[in-house]
Amino acid sequence: MKVVYFTESLLPHVDGVSRTLAQLFGFLERNGIDFRVHSPFVPGPEVSWSGRVRPVRYVRFPLYPDYRVTLPRLGGIARELDAWKPDLVHLVSPTPMASRAQAWARRRGIPVVSSFHTHFVSYFRYYGVPWAAGFGWRMLRRFYEKCERVYAPSDSIIAELAEHGITNTELWSRGIDLARFSPDHRDAELRALAGADEDTPVLLMVSRLVKEKDMADLVQMDRILRQRGNRHRLVLVGEGPMRGELQAALPDAYFAGHQSGDGLARWYASGDVFVFPSTTETFGNVVLEAQASGLPTVVADKGGPPDLVRPGETGFIARANDPADLAAKCEGLLRDAEQRARMGRQARDAARERDWSAINGRLTESYRRVIGRHRPAPRT
C-alpha cells in the first residue's frame, strides 16, 4: 500500500493537525506502509520520516501568518506521483492544492479520501462574515462528495456533517501519549512562577490565542469568578494575535506563552482544572491531554469536546457561549479540592482507553477497504 498525503500543517509547526499526523506517520513507518507527504512545512532530521516530505510553494495566511497555504500548481509533483504510482491519496484540508490533487487522482482512477480537522466554516462569524457560512458548506460538500471517505474525529462532528449533506464519513478518533502527559510531571516551581501556592487552584487553558477559541467568553467567565470571590489563578498557555488584548483584559492571569514537549506536559500537570470554552473544535486534543494529565475538564456543549467529557465524572459541560454557566461549572471544582482530585483520577482513567496504535490501525484497515474496491477483480 502506497499513500500520498497533502497537508497544510506539519511539524515543525505545532497544532492539533500536525500532532495527529505525526502519530499517524510514525505508525505507518513502524508498520512498513510506504507513504509520501507534500506540505509547506518540512520537519527537521530529528523526525524519522522527514525524508518522505516534499516541500511545496506557499503563501502565508493573512489572518494568522504562522499558517501557510499551498499554491495550487502541481507541476513536478504530478510527474513524480505518476512515476511513484500511489494506491491512495489522502487530502488533509480542502485547499486549492488539495483540489488539484483530487482532480489528478480522479483522472487516473486512484481513490481519494480526506479528513475533517478544522471547522473553518464556524470561523466566519468571528471575522464579521457570518453570511458566508452557507457558501462555505456548499464548497465543502462539493469537495467532499468527490472523496471515497471523509474521516472525522468525533461522533458529534459526523452528525453535524450529515446535517449539511456530507454523509460519506467514518470515525478516525484521536489517541494520547500517557507517558508524555501525566500527573507525574506536576511542578511546584511552575505553579509558583504563575503565582499559585498549593492552596490556590490553577485554572488552566491551553490554546492558540485567537477569536475563534471564544476568548471573549473566557474573559467574562474569569470576571464572574472573581466577582464571586473565588480564589484561583488563571493560566493561559499558548500564543496568538489576541495575546496583547487578553493581557489587558485579564491583568490577574499568567501568560505562559507557547509551550511544547516536556514544558507543555509540566504545565498541564501543574494545573488543577482545565477550562476550554471553544465552540469550533472538531475533536479537542487539548482536552484529552488535560485528562491524561489528571485534570477535570470544563468544556462547551458544541463540537467535539463534549464527546470526551463524562459529566459529573471527568468534568462538566457548560452551555456554549454562556460565560455565566461556564463560571458556575468551574466554581464548584475550584472550591472543592476533593472533587477535583476524584474527577482528575477518573479523567486519567478515561484517557487510558485511547490507544494511538489501535486508532491508526483502524484507519489503515479502512484505507485497505477503499483501495480494494477500486482494484479490478483478478481473472479466473
Side-chain angles (χ1 to χ4, degrees):
M1 181 164 61
K2 296 181 181 179
V3 186
V4 60
Y5 295 84
F6 290 84
T7 178
E8 314 297 293
S9 183
L10 198 67
L11 298 177
H13 179 75
V14 178
D15 62 6
V17 180
S18 65
R19 286 181 289 179
T20 296
L21 293 177
Q23 289 288 343
L24 173 60
F25 296 158
F27 174 86
L28 297 179
E29 193 172 52
R30 290 190 300 274
N31 286 272
I33 296 173
D34 199 3
F35 68 97
R36 292 184 182 179
V37 187
H38 296 272
S39 173
F41 291 97
V42 179
E46 71 280 0
V47 176
S48 61
W49 42 265
S50 62
R52 300 173 183 266
V53 181
R54 308 294 191 267
V56 297
R57 296 175 62 191
Y58 65 89
V59 294
R60 295 189 182 275
F61 186 58
L63 296 177
Y64 199 67
D66 286 347
Y67 275 94
R68 301 173 181 179
V69 179
T70 49
L71 299 174
R73 293 183 60 188
L74 287 185
I77 295 174
R79 291 189 293 274
E80 180 183 338
L81 292 179
D82 281 332
W84 190 57
K85 300 186 184 305
D87 300 302
L88 185 73
V89 175
H90 185 146
L91 308 174
V92 174
S93 298
T95 61
M97 183 180 68
S99 294
R100 286 293 184 92
Q102 187 182 64
W104 171 87
R106 285 167 62 87
R107 286 195 299 269
R108 287 155 179 78
I110 300 170
V112 179
V113 297
S114 187
S115 43
F116 190 85
H117 297 266
T118 306
H119 207 315
F120 293 111
V121 174
S122 67
Y123 292 1
F124 291 151
R125 68 184 176 99
Y126 297 91
Y127 294 95
V129 287
W131 47 266
F135 171 77
W137 280 114
R138 286 194 297 274
M139 295 297 291
L140 289 180
R141 279 194 300 272
R142 187 176 302 173
F143 178 83
Y144 288 129
E145 70 185 7
K146 298 174 185 175
C147 297
E148 297 290 323
R149 281 287 181 273
V150 180
Y151 298 107
S154 64
D155 291 327
S156 293
I157 291 300
I158 286 176
E160 184 176 2
L161 290 173
E163 290 174 3
H164 292 278
I166 302 167
T167 57
N168 54 335
T169 50
E170 190 172 325
L171 182 67
W172 174 29
S173 191
R174 303 290 183 265
I176 190 68
D177 183 341
L178 290 168
R180 165 62 60 83
F181 298 101
S182 166
D184 294 340
H185 302 311
R186 192 173 179 87
D187 189 331
E189 291 184 3
L190 272 189
R191 293 175 58 84
L193 187 64
D197 56 30
E198 282 302 317
D199 295 324
T200 303
V202 169
L203 184 56
L204 179 72
M205 181 175 177
V206 178
S207 173
R208 288 186 295 115
L209 306 184
V210 290
K211 291 180 181 180
E212 59 267 24
K213 300 296 184 179
D214 292 286
M215 290 296 179
D217 291 347
L218 185 78
V219 171
Q220 291 301 317
M221 175 212 71
D222 191 62
R223 288 175 180 169
I224 292 168
L225 288 172
R226 294 191 179 281
Q227 288 167 2
R228 293 177 180 171
N230 288 280
R231 183 181 181 184
H232 70 284
R233 187 70 160 148
L234 179 63
V235 173
L236 285 81
V237 176
E239 280 291 354
M242 283 192 73
R243 176 163 178 166
E245 180 182 339
L246 288 169
Q247 285 179 312
L250 297 166
D252 295 316
Y254 182 80
F255 289 77
H258 172 73
Q259 300 288 329
S260 61
D262 293 341
L264 177 61
R266 285 197 299 273
W267 273 113
Y268 272 117
S270 301
D272 295 289
V273 178
F274 187 80
V275 61
F276 198 56
S278 175
T279 59
T280 61
E281 305 304 307
T282 58
F283 181 76
N285 287 292
V286 293
V287 177
L288 184 54
E289 290 165 356
Q291 291 176 330
S293 303
L295 273 62
T297 54
V298 179
V299 304
D301 64 352
K302 190 173 182 180
D307 289 3
L308 298 171
V309 177
R310 300 170 187 166
E313 295 182 22
T314 64
F316 294 105
I317 300 173
R319 290 187 294 273
N321 301 126
D322 188 338
D325 194 41
L326 194 68
K329 296 296 194 298
C330 289
E331 186 172 33
L333 288 166
L334 293 174
R335 294 191 173 193
D336 190 339
E338 185 176 333
Q339 184 186 44
R340 289 199 305 270
R342 174 177 56 80
M343 285 191 172
R345 289 192 297 270
Q346 292 173 166
R348 171 74 176 175
D349 289 341
R352 295 182 197 279
E353 301 171 8
R354 294 185 170 272
D355 178 72
W356 267 120
S357 292
I359 288 168
N360 285 327
R362 287 191 288 271
L363 176 68
T364 54
E365 284 304 313
S366 178
Y367 283 174
R368 290 187 175 92
R369 290 193 296 272
V370 171
I371 293 168
R373 283 194 294 272
H374 276 255
R375 282 178 174 160
R379 295 181 179 180
T380 57

